[in-house]
Amino acid sequence: MSTAGLEVEIQGRFRALSMDLALHATDAPIVVAGPNGAGKTTLLMAILGAETPARGHVTLDGVPLFDRARDVDVPVERRRIGYLPQRYTLFPHLAVLDNVAYGVPAVHRPERRRRAAETLAALGLASLAARRPAELSGGEAQRVALARALASEPRALLLDEPLAALDASVRREVRRFIAARVRALAIPAVVVTHDRADAEAFGGEVVVIERGAVVQRGPLAALAAAPATEFVRRFVDRSPEG
């Protein structure tokens, strides 16, 4: 297997769930789907470094971030992996500019703010810089959360159901926004979702996990043609949003 991109193999027990799975993301997003409790968020936390597998490894462009056999476990803050959670958790007391600057690695404050301003401008969000989170719509807040995840210039990106907290009325627009930005980055990205429309928007391979293991993987069309489990059948049969 190529060393380019993000390579993950993890095994072990995480609380009530035993996991044994592998995936490889390059420059196109991988969509990870599965029922509640399947291990999707645990997978992201293991890649991020917030969970520690009993066995396995995580490498990024050939550089080990975690390797149990070699006693390698790079701290979260040094992995340079951007993370966008379902609940965007912006700091309510900070303006948008300073929320985004918080995601920039430790440099002097003026430099952090400069990089934050550049990121907001690149995403077309400069007009929001002075607002507080309470003044943002749900869609605007999630865009700002993406800006914060990108301000650190990550080498890989993890998105944990980034649209689930949004009203249906804004979900389509924000989905297009995030999917376009993620594809343009051309870095490894893992997107967790319950929604077929997300899989269609992000494109690439879909990896379905159940009970901590991969049960099917491939393009969405291939999964729709021959679903391996009842969950996969329901996932691919779900009518996409208009």
Side-chain angles (χ1 to χ4, degrees):
M1 181 178 288
S2 169
T3 59
L6 176 67
E7 185 178 329
V8 181
E9 292 185 11
I10 59 173
Q11 302 90 37
R13 191 169 186 83
F14 299 85
R15 294 172 294 277
L17 179 70
S18 292
M19 297 189 69
D20 186 352
L21 58 83
L23 61 81
H24 183 209
T26 53
D27 57 355
I30 282 183
V31 171
V32 175
N36 291 333
K40 303 182 297 297
T41 297
T42 300
L43 166 65
L44 296 189
M45 292 299 98
I47 296 171
L48 191 63
E51 293 274 9
T52 304
R55 298 179 300 282
H57 67 266
V58 178
T59 63
L60 184 54
D61 292 333
V63 177
L65 302 180
F66 172 81
D67 191 323
R68 174 60 76 193
R70 296 162 61 184
D71 198 27
V72 174
D73 191 0
V74 175
V76 174
E77 65 274 12
R78 289 176 46 206
R79 294 196 180 195
R80 287 191 61 192
I81 296 177
Y83 175 56
L84 182 62
Q86 180 182 142
R87 301 287 177 180
Y88 18 88
T89 60
L90 299 178
F91 299 114
H93 62 291
L94 296 179
V96 163
L97 180 65
D98 291 311
N99 263 284
V100 175
Y102 188 85
V104 178
V107 293
H108 294 301
R109 186 168 182 266
E111 176 65 11
R112 292 202 305 271
R113 287 170 62 87
R114 185 190 68 78
R115 293 191 199 177
E118 287 181 350
T119 303
L120 287 169
L123 295 179
L125 303 174
S127 63
L128 304 179
R131 295 192 196 176
R132 294 292 178 93
E135 301 173 291
L136 303 176
S137 68
E140 288 170 338
Q142 193 64 319
R143 289 178 175 92
V144 170
L146 176 63
R148 186 170 65 185
L150 298 182
S152 63
E153 299 180 347
R155 296 186 298 146
L157 188 62
L158 309 177
L159 298 91
D160 193 356
E161 299 198 58
L163 304 166
L166 300 179
D167 292 338
S169 59
V170 299
R171 194 174 299 144
R172 287 189 294 273
E173 180 185 352
V174 178
R175 178 187 292 116
R176 287 193 295 267
F177 178 91
I178 293 179
R181 283 357 183 242
V182 170
R183 288 195 302 267
L185 286 171
I187 62 174
V190 181
V191 184
V192 164
T193 185
H194 277 94
D195 196 330
R196 172 183 170 163
D198 294 346
E200 292 180 328
F202 285 97
E205 183 181 40
V206 179
V207 177
V208 182
I209 64 175
E210 300 184 29
R211 302 185 188 89
V214 175
V215 296
Q216 194 168 7
R217 66 198 322 156
L220 185 61
L223 271 61
T229 69
E230 177 61 18
F231 172 84
V232 179
R233 186 193 65 76
R234 287 187 282 108
F235 179 78
V236 298
D237 283 351
R238 197 166 295 143
S239 297
E241 297 175 7

